[in-house]
């Protein structure tokens, strides 16, 4: 039997040993955690995945590319010093309300960089790319679709598109076009649009001073063309011209020089509302043709997408700067409607991914209030899409065609589509208070 003193001594020794073991374990765990945080490659997969889930960080899937391109991507990542784990797969999305979209009859053919005009309840869509390497032509026969129209009023009953050839034959046979300027105009002025798209040899219209991805709009009896890119397709142009038109014809012999745009570039929306003309979004830079290429190959150059908004005041004929879009947006030439004293912009492209430099599509609807000249995010589209073609009838907004994303978690462009969707507009969003 141990005496009381020896029992107390043994108990103290046991407690000391246990505390020492706990201290050693905590010390080892501390140094292990420090080593793991400073060396990501040594972290356990379980802990790494848990940390990503906890912080809602997602790894952006790298596209399958060849070795040369892979090296370029890695060099860009090192240059920008941006860790891949800090980039979300939905890099450019903004918080937006969910809208109820209803799918409608698809267009007969896919269309990218096309144009659209609405006349009363008829939405006309035309030209553009059928695929990424084939541009739509304006033929003299029905062998290729030259114009599509859909009656928005009777869409539920008819559930079909109408296909027609051009009645006026104003374009040269087999002339291929894309990225046309579009405008809100009367049926008689549809003819004028295509006179202006013709070559300089035609005498019935007045050819543009330059041919280049211009912003185009009919405003106060004059056709305005402006901005775009210069002849090399890359350098932004700020020039602005107008010409008087009446009954589908020019009533002046020459274009009149107007106040230049504060910032040039193509792929922007141009909207006339009352005494004001708005130019919204766009980009600086574009593909450039490779000199002497027998197959007309192009090379990509640096592009800057912006959300600038400029308003031409009809009283002073001077440009004013309005609030920029919620995020940079390009490829929105025919992606707008006017509703409830506001301009609504749908889809487009935004700034490129900071590491992969891939194009990122826009999946939101933006509303520009004409009374306050402020923006808000109105809602989400069915998918991210650029150069979608928009129309409005009886409170329903319609969109069709364009190039959509690769999926919910991948905002890069993929498929040129025929789909058509609509949603009922019932509310206006409120701009954020400055």
């Amino acid at each position: 039997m141990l005496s009381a003193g020896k029992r107390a001594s043994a108990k103290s020794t046991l407690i000391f040993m246990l505390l020492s073991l706990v201290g050693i374990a905590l010390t080892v765990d501390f140094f292990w955690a420090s080593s793991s945080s400073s060396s990501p490659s040594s972290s356990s997969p379980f802990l790494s995945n848990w940390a990503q889930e906890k912080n809602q960080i997602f790894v952006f899937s790298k596209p399958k590319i060849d070795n040369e391109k892979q090296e370029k991507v890695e060099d860009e990542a090192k240059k920008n010093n941006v860790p891949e784990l800090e980039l979300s797969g939905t890099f450019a999305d903004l918080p937006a309300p969910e809208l109820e979209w209803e799918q409608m009859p698809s267009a007969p053919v896919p269309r990218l960089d096309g144009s659209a005009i609405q006349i009363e309840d008829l939405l006309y869509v035309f030209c553009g790319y059928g695929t990424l390497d084939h541009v739509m032509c304006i033929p003299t026969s029905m062998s290729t679709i030259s114009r599509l129209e859909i009656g928005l009023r009777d869409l539920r009953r008819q559930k079909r598109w109408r296909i027609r050839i051009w009645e006026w034959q104003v374009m040269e046979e087999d002339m291929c076009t894309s990225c046309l300027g579009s405008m809100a105009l009367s049926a008689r002025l549809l003819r004028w649009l295509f006179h202006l798209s013709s070559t300089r040899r035609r005498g019935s219209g007045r050819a543009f001073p330059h041919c280049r991805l211009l912003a185009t709009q009919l405003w106060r009896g004059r056709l305005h063309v402006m901005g775009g890119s210069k002849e090399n397709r890359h350098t932004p142009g700020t020039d602005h011209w107008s010409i008087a038109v009446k009954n589908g014809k020019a009533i002046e012999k020459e274009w009149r020089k107007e106040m230049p745009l504060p910032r040039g570039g193509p792929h922007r929306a141009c909207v006339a509302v009352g005494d004001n003309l708005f130019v919204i979004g766009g980009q600086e830079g574009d593909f450039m043709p490779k000199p002497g290429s027998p197959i007309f190959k192009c090379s990509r150059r640096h592009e800057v997408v912006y959300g600038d908004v400029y308003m031409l005041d009809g009283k002073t004929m001077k440009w004013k700067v309005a609030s920029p879009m919620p995020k940079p947006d390009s490829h929105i030439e025919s992606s707008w409607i006017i509703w409830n004293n506001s301009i609504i912009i749908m889809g487009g492209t935004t700034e490129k991914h900071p590491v992969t430099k891939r194009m990122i599509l826009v999946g939101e609807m933006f509303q520009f209030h004409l009374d306050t000249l402020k923006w808000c995010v109105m809602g989400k589209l069915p998918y991210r899409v650029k150069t979608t073609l928009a129309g409005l009838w009886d409170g329903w907004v319609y969109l069709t065609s364009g190039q959509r994303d690769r999926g919910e978690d991948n905002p890069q462009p993929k498929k040129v589509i025929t789909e058509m969707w609509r949603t009922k507009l019932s509310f206006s969003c409120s701009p954020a208070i400055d």
Side-chain angles (χ1 to χ4, degrees):
M1 295 287 297
L2 294 174
S3 65
K6 289 183 178 181
R7 284 200 302 269
S9 176
K11 186 176 181 180
S12 299
T13 302
L14 180 61
I15 292 174
F16 176 76
M17 292 175 64
L18 290 174
L19 290 174
S20 298
L21 289 173
V22 171
I24 293 171
L26 291 173
T27 303
V28 171
D29 182 70
F30 171 78
F31 284 110
W32 178 86
S34 301
S35 174
S36 299
S37 62
S38 61
S39 304
S41 60
S42 63
S43 302
S44 73
F46 172 78
L47 289 176
S48 176
N49 291 336
W50 178 84
Q52 292 176 41
E53 181 179 335
K54 180 179 179 181
N55 294 288
Q56 296 183 339
I57 297 175
F58 304 91
V59 179
F60 192 91
S61 301
K62 290 184 178 179
K64 295 180 180 179
I65 51 181
D66 58 32
N67 293 333
E68 182 179 352
K69 291 184 179 179
Q70 178 66 42
E71 292 175 0
K72 291 181 179 179
V73 170
E74 292 174 354
D75 290 341
E76 287 294 331
K78 293 177 181 177
K79 184 191 304 182
N80 292 295
N81 194 27
V82 180
E84 182 174 323
L85 289 178
E86 293 183 4
L87 299 175
S88 168
T90 52
F91 166 72
D93 291 343
L94 294 177
E98 296 285 350
L99 301 177
E100 294 184 7
W101 289 92
E102 176 185 0
Q103 189 161 9
M104 307 304 290
S106 295
V109 294
R111 195 177 303 271
L112 166 68
D113 282 340
S115 192
I117 294 175
Q118 183 174 344
I119 302 173
E120 295 182 351
D121 71 316
L122 290 178
L123 178 65
Y124 297 84
V125 302
F126 40 87
C127 300
Y129 293 87
T131 64
L132 295 179
D133 57 1
H134 174 72
V135 182
M136 297 285 192
C137 294
I138 307 300
T140 55
S141 68
M142 281 291 288
S143 59
T144 305
I145 293 172
S146 55
R147 183 182 75 190
L148 301 173
E149 65 180 40
I150 187 165
L152 302 180
R153 183 202 307 264
D154 300 322
L155 188 60
R156 274 194 172 277
R157 181 170 57 85
Q158 296 181 357
K159 295 185 182 298
R160 64 184 179 89
W161 288 72
R162 285 178 276 183
I163 306 171
R164 297 182 182 180
I165 61 171
W166 288 109
E167 301 165 359
W168 306 302
Q169 305 298 322
V170 297
M171 279 187 164
E172 294 199 12
E173 185 173 357
D174 296 329
M175 183 178 183
C176 301
T177 52
S178 70
C179 304
L180 288 178
S182 63
M183 45 193 161
L185 71 174
S186 68
R188 287 179 294 184
L189 286 173
L190 264 174
R191 177 172 183 170
W192 172 248
L193 170 66
F194 287 97
H195 278 304
L196 290 173
S197 302
S198 304
T199 63
R200 295 176 184 271
R201 291 194 298 271
R202 294 192 173 273
S204 54
R206 302 290 186 270
F208 290 138
H210 299 284
C211 299
R212 60 192 196 193
L213 301 176
L214 296 157
T216 309
Q217 190 54 263
L218 182 70
W219 182 51
R220 306 197 326 179
R222 303 187 68 84
L223 185 66
H224 290 256
V225 295
M226 67 204 83
S229 299
K230 294 189 176 181
E231 288 76 5
N232 64 4
R233 285 182 50 89
H234 181 74
T235 305
T238 60
D239 296 323
H240 175 195
W241 302 274
S242 75
I243 194 167
V245 295
K246 186 176 181 179
N247 297 329
K249 296 181 179 180
I251 56 176
E252 294 178 339
K253 293 183 177 180
E254 301 293 337
W255 290 85
R256 185 174 80 188
K257 204 122 173 110
E258 302 283 3
M259 180 67 67
L261 277 164
R263 188 173 191 175
H267 297 307
R268 58 216 312 198
C270 188
V271 187
V273 185
D275 286 333
N276 298 316
L277 181 67
F278 295 89
V279 176
I280 303 171
Q283 67 182 56
E284 293 177 341
D286 210 328
F287 287 91
M288 288 184 66
K290 288 187 175 180
S293 172
I295 57 173
F296 306 103
K297 290 190 71 173
C298 290
S299 60
R300 190 150 209 160
R301 295 291 191 274
H302 180 62
E303 299 169 1
V304 177
V305 181
Y306 51 82
D308 296 11
V309 179
Y310 302 105
M311 180 183 75
L312 183 60
D313 189 327
K315 297 177 181 178
T316 64
M317 289 305 291
K318 292 182 179 181
W319 291 100
K320 298 179 179 180
V321 179
S323 298
M325 299 185 71
K327 66 180 174 185
D329 205 3
S330 177
H331 289 80
I332 52 175
E333 291 96 320
S334 297
S335 306
W336 56 270
I337 60 168
I338 299 174
W339 176 77
N340 197 22
N341 196 34
S342 69
I343 300 170
I344 297 176
I345 304 287
M346 287 162 277
T349 66
T350 190
E351 293 174 324
K352 290 184 171 54
H353 194 282
V355 173
T356 65
K357 306 305 179 186
R358 297 283 180 168
M359 181 181 287
I360 300 293
L361 299 184
V362 174
E364 296 89 32
M365 291 174 60
F366 304 118
Q367 185 176 19
F368 183 65
H369 293 265
L370 293 169
D371 53 351
T372 62
L373 302 182
K374 300 289 185 182
W375 290 91
C376 56
V377 183
M378 193 174 190
K380 292 184 179 180
L381 301 175
Y383 38 71
R384 306 177 194 89
V385 62
K386 72 170 183 173
T387 66
T388 191
L389 309 176
L392 176 70
W393 184 257
D394 194 26
W396 291 86
V397 59
Y398 294 80
L399 60 88
T400 184
S401 307
Q403 187 179 15
R404 64 161 297 172
D405 57 20
R406 293 174 179 265
E408 184 177 350
D409 295 324
N410 193 334
Q412 296 177 18
K414 185 178 182 182
K415 186 180 180 182
V416 181
I417 58 175
T418 63
E419 297 175 23
M420 185 176 196
W421 296 77
R422 75 172 187 174
T423 190
K424 186 75 170 179
L425 297 179
S426 57
F427 70 93
S428 294
C429 57
S430 300
I433 300 176
D434 294 335

